[in-house]
Amino acid sequence: MDYKKLLKELTDKRAAKYQEIDTVANREALDKIELEIRKLDIQIKETQAKIDEEEQRAANEGRGQQAQPQGGFNPIGTYGTTGETRSDEIEDIYGTMEYRQAFKDYIVKGTPIPQQYQEARTAELTTVGDVAAVIPTTIMNKVIEDMTVEGKILNRITQTGFQGGVAIPISEVNPEATWLSSEEETSEEQKAKMKAKITFAYHVLEAKIALGLVTATVSLSVFETTIVKQLKKAMIRALETSIVAGTGSGQPLGFTKYTLPIENVVEMTVDTIGTVTQWAEVEAAIPEVVEDSVIYIMSKATWEKHLNGMTDTTGQKIGLGKINEKGQKILNGREVLTTGKLPSFDTAKAGDIFGALIDLSQYMLNSNLSMYYKKYFDEDKNKWIHKSLMIADGQMAIGKDSEDKLVGAQGLIYLKKKVE
């Protein structure tokens, strides 16, 4: 394969995507372009690594030395057989072929991670001490890419990298332009946003990987693919659950855990949930300023039984809820995102939230998405336990000003089962 030609094609595609940003019509289209750019960045980095490998191999062969064997995955950096390292390897030691192989040997055979990597980890990671190895960059890039592509909720939120423990004004994470009569003035709304602040903590997410799957692998590429699949499933499930319903204690705060003003809550009964009038009331509660950015989120059971299957008094389907040609669920012209993280209307208890309207981009997941690995022997179960750790926190861009008024909750509306 001509990797240089491929690199040019990928670079041209990325440049074209950046030009498309100026013509996007809505936030959903912008999010899609940003996701495509991120994927292209990963492909460009891997292709460049391949080009570097070929050049290094040619240089080695020119000196009469055997080229280094390569695994199935594209390494972020490579080592030559001469003992020389490239500059990009110094920047990312966890992407080298040598470290990837050491990581595999540590998990499968229990071989200790070489001292130079242990020292680097100690210097970088100061928050969590219960780790023994850093997950290689090549695995992490794939995990992050898959999480972004496959996570229904995760690919719509905003990922931030603020320092934990620092109070951040709402205006910094959710800026808004306001006309001023003079350069000395500050709008009242801007003042309120500056006073309303959010603070991120350091929460540790743990994912355990099945020993049988790990030890059954032989080649480096199969081993890394196995790790990716297991981490992806565990991390997506845990992160999306916390984004919806996290308690905020030892985990992110879910968007359903706020105390909203009464105008941001719509209650429904068994008799009203299936009526057009009730859902018109929900639409009326949406402020005009966020009309184009909020979507519905609810369980699939609620959608199918009470909206997609809504009928009139004669039993004829009303069509308030429908599915468009792209397969998207639509209610009153607005997208409906279904998730198993919320109870259905039928299973919800009186007073429970069974759905919401939300602009998911206003949810902030604060994490560098770095994962660390730990292996230990459980004497009670007589098994080796493999687990990974991630530091993350998250919450809506919502806070309270000096008068204890909620700021930043305009687009968030709760759908509750009414107490009768």
Side-chain angles (χ1 to χ4, degrees):
M1 177 181 290
D2 188 347
Y3 289 108
K4 291 185 178 181
K5 180 180 178 181
L6 176 59
L7 180 62
K8 186 179 185 305
E9 291 175 355
L10 292 172
T11 304
D12 291 342
K13 283 183 180 179
R14 181 174 61 177
K17 289 298 177 184
Y18 273 114
Q19 292 179 352
E20 289 181 24
I21 291 178
D22 296 332
T23 61
V24 295
N26 51 52
R27 185 182 294 275
E28 182 180 356
L30 178 61
D31 290 343
K32 183 178 180 181
I33 292 175
E34 289 178 341
L35 173 59
E36 291 173 350
I37 290 174
R38 187 171 184 177
K39 291 172 66 177
L40 285 168
D41 285 340
I42 294 174
Q43 291 176 303
I44 288 171
K45 196 171 185 179
E46 291 179 343
T47 303
Q48 183 61 58
K50 273 294 185 182
I51 294 173
D52 293 343
E53 289 173 28
E54 289 186 343
E55 292 176 350
Q56 184 66 46
R57 187 182 302 113
N60 289 340
E61 291 174 352
R63 290 191 292 267
Q65 297 177 351
Q66 182 180 359
Q68 178 183 345
Q70 302 296 321
F73 258 49
N74 294 330
I76 301 302
T78 55
Y79 273 80
T81 55
T82 63
E84 300 174 347
T85 60
R86 300 180 59 87
S87 60
D88 58 345
E89 294 171 318
I90 297 175
E91 297 174 359
D92 182 16
I93 61 173
Y94 303 120
T96 63
M97 179 64 71
E98 183 179 81
Y99 180 76
R100 290 164 58 197
Q101 187 62 51
F103 181 77
K104 173 178 180 285
D105 292 341
Y106 166 71
I107 296 176
V108 177
K109 304 175 183 178
T111 306
I113 296 292
Q115 185 63 31
Q116 67 265 32
Y117 301 116
Q118 292 285 0
E119 292 172 355
R121 177 187 63 80
T122 301
E124 293 177 5
L125 186 66
T126 57
T127 308
V128 179
D130 187 29
V131 296
V134 179
I135 293 180
T137 307
T138 184
I139 297 180
M140 274 307 308
N141 283 344
K142 185 61 178 175
V143 171
I144 293 171
E145 179 186 1
D146 286 347
M147 286 169 66
T148 307
V149 172
E150 297 188 17
K152 268 187 174 184
I153 297 173
L154 201 61
N155 67 359
R156 296 173 184 244
I157 65 171
T158 299
Q159 294 180 9
T160 59
F162 295 110
Q163 181 180 348
V166 177
I168 305 157
I170 296 295
S171 57
E172 289 192 16
V173 296
N174 189 21
E176 186 171 314
T178 304
W179 291 107
L180 304 177
S181 58
S182 70
E183 61 182 18
E184 288 82 15
E185 291 186 7
T186 301
S187 68
E188 291 302 318
E189 183 178 3
Q190 194 72 3
K191 287 179 182 178
K193 287 191 174 186
M194 289 298 290
K195 292 176 181 177
K197 300 180 180 181
I198 57 177
T199 303
F200 293 106
Y202 293 108
H203 300 314
V204 181
L205 175 62
E206 175 187 282
K208 294 183 179 178
I209 298 177
L211 177 63
L213 289 173
V214 172
T215 55
T217 61
V218 178
S219 69
L220 182 61
S221 61
V222 174
F223 165 78
E224 290 182 334
T225 302
T226 301
I227 293 290
V228 167
K229 288 181 179 179
Q230 297 306 305
L231 286 178
K232 180 180 63 176
K233 290 178 182 178
M235 291 298 180
I236 288 178
R237 187 183 305 115
L239 285 172
E240 292 202 339
T241 297
S242 66
I243 290 170
V244 175
T247 62
S249 178
Q251 59 184 277
L253 181 64
F255 64 75
T256 61
K257 298 299 182 180
Y258 292 87
T259 301
L260 300 184
I262 188 170
E263 60 267 22
N264 287 61
V265 179
V266 178
E267 297 182 319
M268 300 186 185
T269 67
V270 175
D271 295 329
T272 62
I273 189 174
T275 64
V276 175
T277 302
Q278 179 69 87
W279 290 98
E281 180 182 337
V282 177
E283 287 291 321
I286 304 172
E288 181 69 27
V289 69
V290 295
E291 171 70 23
D292 296 331
S293 58
V294 298
I295 64 171
Y296 285 100
I297 183 167
M298 63 185 67
S299 74
K300 186 173 183 293
T302 300
W303 159 260
E304 293 293 351
K305 184 173 180 180
H306 298 287
L307 294 166
N308 192 38
M310 187 185 292
T311 59
D312 60 20
T313 55
T314 65
Q316 296 297 313
K317 192 170 182 179
I318 294 177
L320 183 67
K322 60 182 180 180
I323 299 177
N324 65 16
E325 65 278 2
K326 296 181 180 179
Q328 293 177 316
K329 300 176 179 66
I330 303 296
L331 174 60
N332 285 325
R334 195 179 307 282
E335 182 184 358
V336 178
L337 184 67
T338 57
T339 176
K341 312 303 180 185
L342 284 169
S344 68
F345 178 82
D346 294 337
T347 60
K349 298 178 182 178
D352 284 353
I353 296 172
F354 68 88
L357 281 115
I358 183 175
D359 177 357
L360 283 171
S361 69
Q362 299 302 308
Y363 189 93
M364 311 292 167
L365 181 67
N366 198 57
S367 172
N368 61 4
L369 294 180
S370 292
M371 294 185 188
Y372 305 92
Y373 205 85
K374 174 73 174 180
K375 173 183 177 181
Y376 64 93
F377 191 76
D378 190 323
E379 297 289 350
D380 295 330
K381 297 181 179 179
N382 200 34
K383 290 182 178 180
W384 283 102
I385 305 299
H386 299 256
K387 67 179 182 180
S388 62
L389 303 172
M390 174 193 287
I391 300 172
D393 192 14
Q395 57 184 289
M396 289 290 292
I398 294 175
K400 291 187 177 181
D401 60 18
S402 57
E403 298 179 356
D404 205 35
K405 293 181 180 179
L406 209 59
V407 175
Q410 279 185 303
L412 183 61
I413 297 174
Y414 289 161
L415 307 179
K416 286 187 175 183
K417 191 170 186 177
K418 190 172 184 179
V419 178
E420 297 184 273

